[in-house]
Amino acid sequence: MNILFLVTDAYGGHGGIALFNRELCAALDGVRITVIPRVVRGVIQTPPPHVNFVAEAAENPVAYLRAVAAA
C-alpha cells in the first residue's frame, strides 16, 4: 500500500503539528509513505526507511504543486 501524505511540516519542523505528522508516519510502519511538506523551517531530520520525504517541495508554491502532480 502507498500513501501520499500532504503536510504543512514534518521532518523539518519542531512544533506539535510536525511532531504529530512524524509520529503518524512512524506508526504506519510497513506502508510506503510519500510525504510532501509545504514548509521546512529547520534542519531536516532523517525519516524512517519506509518514508520518502520530498523536501524540495517546500522551496516555493510552484515546487510544491510540481511535487504533488508528480506523486
Side-chain angles (χ1 to χ4, degrees):
M1 173 188 265
N2 296 323
I3 295 177
L4 176 61
F5 192 25
L6 306 177
V7 300
T8 52
D9 58 357
Y11 293 96
H14 63 276
I17 292 173
L19 176 63
F20 175 83
N21 292 335
R22 289 191 305 268
E23 293 293 326
L24 180 61
C25 288
L28 294 173
D29 191 22
V31 176
R32 186 76 184 142
I33 304 170
T34 299
V35 178
I36 301 179
R38 180 66 192 94
V39 177
V40 174
R41 297 178 194 260
V43 177
I44 297 173
Q45 301 171 6
T46 304
H50 67 281
V51 174
N52 176 26
F53 185 67
V54 186
E56 55 272 2
E59 292 176 1
N60 57 54
V62 174
Y64 182 78
L65 291 175
R66 282 187 185 144
V68 170

